[in-house]
Each structure stands twice: as C-alpha cells, then as structure tokens.
Amino acid sequence: MDFEDGNRPGSVTALRPGNVSLLRPVEQVFDDMLAGWSAQQSSRMLNAKTIGARLAQVRRFAGFCGSLPWEWTPADIEEWTTELVSGDKPCSHGTIRSYQNAVALFCDFLTDRRYGWVERCEELFGTHPVQVCHEWNTAIHTGDHEARPTVRPLSRIEVQTFFDYADDRVDQARTRGKKGWKSVFRDATLFKMIYAFGLRRREVGMLDLHDFTRNPTATEFGRFGVCNVRWGKASRGSQPRRRAVLAVFDWTRPVIEEYVTEVLPLFDTAGSGMLWPTERQSRVSGSYIGLRFAEYRDELGFDPALHPHCLRHSYVTHLIEDGFDPLFVQQQVGHRWGSTTALYTGVSGDYRNRTLRRALDAAFTPPSAIEEG
C-alpha cells in the first residue's frame, strides 16, 4: 500500500493534525513519537511483544537521560551502556545490543524526513532529533551465537535423571492423593516431548492433539509418528514457520499415548484440542514451563544455567552422536542453515574420540592389511 508523504503510519499528521495546539508539548510530542513508531512497526507486521519491548527500552533510555529525543546525544548512549554493564548483575552482550538497537531504530524513525518529526521539533523546540547510535559507541554482532557460554546440552545421564525425577513426582502425587497430580503428569510428559521432537517452549506449548499424524514409513509410532509444528520461530514481520518433525525415539509413542488416553481427558477440555491445558482451561505458558523446569533442575542440583531450551540442544547433540545425518537433524529442528544446527551441537568426548579413531584407522591402515581383510 502506498501512502502520501505525511500520511503514512507513524507520521506527524497521521497522529495529530497540524492545526491542533498542544497543552503540554514536551510530553505529548514524545508520546506521539512513540505511538507513531508503534504504528510504523505494526504496519511492518512485527510481533506485538517485539514492539512493546522496544517501546519499553526507549522509555527506559529516556528515563536514564532525563531528557527527550530532540535533546539526546551520543554521550547519553555511552553513559547508559556503562551503567548497564556495571553493578552486581551486568547485562549480557546480547541484551546490551538489543537495548541499543531499539534506541537506534527509534532515532532512525524520528530522523526520517518522510515522517515529519524533524520539522515538527524544529517548529516547537528549535532543535530536532539526531541519530545517537553509531558504530563507535554500540555493541556489534560479531558472532553467530550469543548465548551464555555456560548454557549447554544435557548429557544422556542428565536427561534420564531429569525424566526419572519428573516421573517420581507423578508417583508421589498420585500415592498421596494430591488433587494436582494430573498437572504433574502433564508436565512430565511435556518435558519429554520437548526432547523427543526438539521443540522450543512456544512450539510445544501451542501444540494441539490433531498436530500429531501418522508416518506411513514408520508405522510403529502409530498416530504419533509426525509432530506438525505450527508455531515455529518466525522471521521479523512474517507468520510463524511450520515444519513436520518425525518421531525418532521408540519410547515416544507409549509416553504420549498414556498421557492422551488416561490423563488429558481428566482436564475436561473436550473439543478444545489443547494438548497441555491448565486446570483453568487455558494453555500452559512458556514462563510456566521455564519455572517448572527450574524447580526440577534445582531439586536435582543441576547447573543453574540450564533451561528448557537445553533439552532442544540435547536432542540435536544426541541425534548427531547416534549417527543421524546432519541435514536430517537440521530439518527436524527447523534451522535455515546448517551452521546454526552446528552451534547447538555439543557432542561428548567419547563421540569425538570414536570419530577420530575411525578416521585414523582408515587413514593409517596399510594397503596390504586392507587386501588381506
């Protein structure tokens, strides 16, 4: 859709006609700027959470500066960043870059002549916004992976220990006759499905029962041979990406079948299709999944840096260790590039040594030995 200059989403005149006087111009102009930027991002079909987070970051920066966009300078960004990286809980490199990027995008919006904010500020305040973020005062994206170095895949023993603990919680709740035992059962099954199909939190939380279908080439999995992910990670401004994940572990079918046939009906959500309902008939949230995982992790004394996404990392690592083709694993987890899948992989020392030994044996076996064999 084409917009005439001055009437595009986020422009001055689109928000407030030029003949309307402002009672509190300083506060109202800043609010209008944020509203305009929000409209411009909405027009790009960006996620509402992304927009909300950016607006909050810009407001946080304005609060730190104690001034408004037409008064900001590059030194403000530098002082703000210094505060963010100091103290007892300094922000990570990725967080700093995210905050700075929000301010930079906001300044880009304000200084774009198509939106009229430069002229508006000059008219009201005698000055105008400038871009305060540049290559010499902002964090750069130099690596493909910015996760904390302490975050890693779980070992096979850790995965099994975690699942055994979740099952023990179910048995204890059932034996004691606790009312919430079915929620504990649901959580245990949910964690197993994250690992069984290499899912993200949102992907697993948004699953419905009909998202599972048969795989005609792997009938042993029954109706749970394929997990059709409808809420995959989306690119900016695009719809969630879909993918079909094939079941690979022989224990997947009995685990999910038991939950679906014996526990899910007890939630009394007939017709809703939700696979992981709460007692209040809503979906289990990503934050809840994170909190429950952290509870189990801490009870087991595992590394506090571990989180639910580590189960997805473990899935990738263990499939590679088991000899699955890297391209198959990449397609299973929905990565566009094989390099991304490689970053998820943390193969064990035993696996690396076995791989090295096979390569060395092949390289250094004498031709005569091969002929005799």
Side-chain angles (χ1 to χ4, degrees):
M1 181 180 295
D2 294 328
F3 297 96
E4 296 181 6
D5 287 345
N7 290 317
R8 65 188 69 247
S11 66
V12 172
T13 54
L15 290 165
R16 195 185 300 272
N19 59 354
V20 175
S21 60
L22 301 176
L23 297 177
R24 301 183 309 280
V26 173
E27 296 88 349
Q28 288 175 294
V29 168
F30 184 46
D31 288 342
D32 285 351
M33 286 173 167
L34 291 172
W37 189 40
S38 178
Q40 182 246 20
Q41 294 179 91
S42 296
S43 184
R44 293 173 55 202
M45 300 298 293
L46 297 187
N47 185 279
K49 283 189 175 180
T50 299
I51 297 172
R54 287 177 175 176
L55 292 174
Q57 288 156 9
V58 168
R59 287 189 181 278
R60 180 178 179 181
F61 176 63
F64 171 83
C65 297
S67 58
L68 293 165
W70 50 92
E71 302 169 315
W72 293 345
T73 67
D76 292 325
I77 278 288
E78 293 150 21
E79 291 174 8
W80 187 47
T81 303
T82 300
E83 180 180 88
L84 292 174
V85 299
S86 60
D88 296 333
K89 294 184 178 180
C91 294
S92 68
H93 183 281
T95 299
I96 294 294
R97 194 165 56 82
S98 172
Y99 287 178
Q100 293 174 342
N101 186 54
V103 176
L105 290 172
F106 183 55
C107 290
D108 278 342
F109 165 72
L110 296 181
T111 55
D112 190 325
R113 293 281 180 173
R114 291 172 293 185
Y115 293 99
W117 291 108
V118 169
E119 293 78 6
R120 184 64 158 163
C121 289
E122 287 178 337
E123 174 190 341
L124 292 172
F125 312 116
T127 184
H128 61 81
V130 297
Q131 177 57 267
V132 298
C133 300
H134 55 77
E135 61 180 327
W136 296 110
N137 70 351
T138 53
I140 59 175
H141 191 185
T142 57
D144 295 321
H145 194 50
E146 292 187 340
R148 290 168 293 167
T150 51
V151 175
R152 59 170 177 78
L154 282 74
S155 69
R156 295 175 190 267
I157 293 176
E158 286 174 325
V159 170
Q160 189 60 58
T161 301
F162 186 90
F163 291 162
D164 288 345
Y165 179 77
D167 289 340
D168 289 342
R169 292 284 292 261
V170 175
D171 292 339
Q172 292 171 10
R174 267 180 156 173
T175 301
R176 297 173 183 175
K178 289 189 175 181
K179 182 179 179 181
W181 72 266
K182 58 181 182 290
S183 295
V184 182
F185 197 117
R186 175 203 62 207
D187 297 343
T189 309
L190 183 149
F191 287 129
K192 292 172 186 174
M193 290 306 104
I194 291 178
Y195 176 75
F197 292 99
L199 303 176
R200 301 178 178 92
R201 269 184 277 192
R202 186 166 188 246
E203 292 173 350
V204 72
M206 296 300 292
L207 283 177
D208 289 339
L209 185 56
H210 61 251
D211 288 327
F212 288 92
T213 54
R214 295 179 179 276
N215 182 350
T217 61
T219 56
E220 58 266 44
F221 292 108
R223 61 176 295 194
F224 302 105
V226 182
C227 178
N228 295 287
V229 176
R230 293 179 293 115
W231 294 89
K233 187 176 182 179
S235 300
R236 290 180 179 177
S238 66
Q239 291 292 314
R241 292 165 57 192
R242 299 185 176 219
R243 72 179 186 278
V245 187
L246 309 183
V248 296
F249 299 125
D250 56 5
W251 50 263
T252 303
R253 177 178 178 177
V255 166
I256 190 67
E257 271 188 347
E258 182 181 13
Y259 169 73
V260 167
T261 57
E262 298 182 17
V263 180
L264 183 58
L266 301 178
F267 283 94
D268 193 24
T269 57
S272 68
M274 287 186 291
L275 189 60
W276 318 110
T278 68
E279 298 283 359
R280 297 185 177 183
Q281 315 290 294
S282 61
R283 291 183 184 275
V284 164
S285 67
S287 59
Y288 172 85
I289 295 172
L291 289 172
R292 181 51 65 95
F293 181 93
E295 178 188 347
Y296 289 6
R297 175 202 66 204
D298 294 344
E299 288 290 335
L300 290 166
F302 286 179
D303 190 332
L306 299 175
H307 50 70
H309 202 70
C310 294
L311 290 172
R312 176 172 157 90
H313 287 235
S314 306
Y315 171 83
V316 171
T317 296
H318 298 163
L319 289 191
I320 294 296
E321 287 185 344
D322 288 341
F324 282 83
D325 185 275
L327 178 59
F328 172 83
V329 179
Q330 176 187 338
Q331 293 172 340
Q332 287 281 94
V333 293
H335 288 155
R336 290 180 181 270
W337 312 107
S339 57
T340 307
T341 309
L343 291 170
Y344 274 54
T345 308
V347 295
S348 66
D350 287 343
Y351 172 82
R352 289 156 62 89
N353 286 328
R354 289 197 304 271
T355 302
L356 174 63
R357 188 69 265 163
R358 285 196 298 269
L360 294 176
D361 289 344
F364 292 100
T365 299
S368 57
I370 297 176
E371 292 175 1
E372 292 174 3

